[in-house]
């Protein structure tokens, strides 16, 4: 997908400039749900914030 391509490009082009590894925050490892359950599947603010803190070592 698009996020994978962006991640791969950053790894290839800017590896020596990175201060932390790339951390991807995605939906859960299950089949994509119906529209009514989409909000439960997609990453929410707290999961994104936790990933940022984990990557930055805060």
């Amino acid at each position: 997908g698009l996020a994978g391509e962006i991640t791969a490009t950053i790894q290839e082009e800017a590896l020596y400039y990175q201060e932390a590894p790339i951390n991807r925050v995605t939906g859960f490892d299950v089949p994509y749900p119906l529209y009514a359950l989409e909000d439960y599947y997609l990453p929410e603010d707290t999961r994104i914030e936790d990933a940022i803190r984990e990557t930055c070592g805060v």
Side-chain angles (χ1 to χ4, degrees):
L2 178 62
E5 289 298 320
I6 293 171
T7 301
T9 302
I10 291 171
Q11 279 295 107
E12 291 172 359
E13 303 294 329
L15 179 63
Y16 296 116
Y17 304 103
Q18 294 177 13
E19 295 182 16
I22 295 173
N23 191 356
R24 292 173 63 183
V25 181
T26 62
F28 297 107
D29 193 18
V30 296
Y32 199 80
L34 299 173
Y35 178 73
L37 300 174
E38 188 177 66
D39 290 337
Y40 298 108
Y41 172 80
L42 296 174
E44 54 192 24
D45 295 343
T46 55
R47 285 181 55 202
I48 296 170
E49 288 174 11
D50 290 343
I52 292 170
R53 286 189 176 90
E54 178 184 328
T55 302
C56 294
V58 177

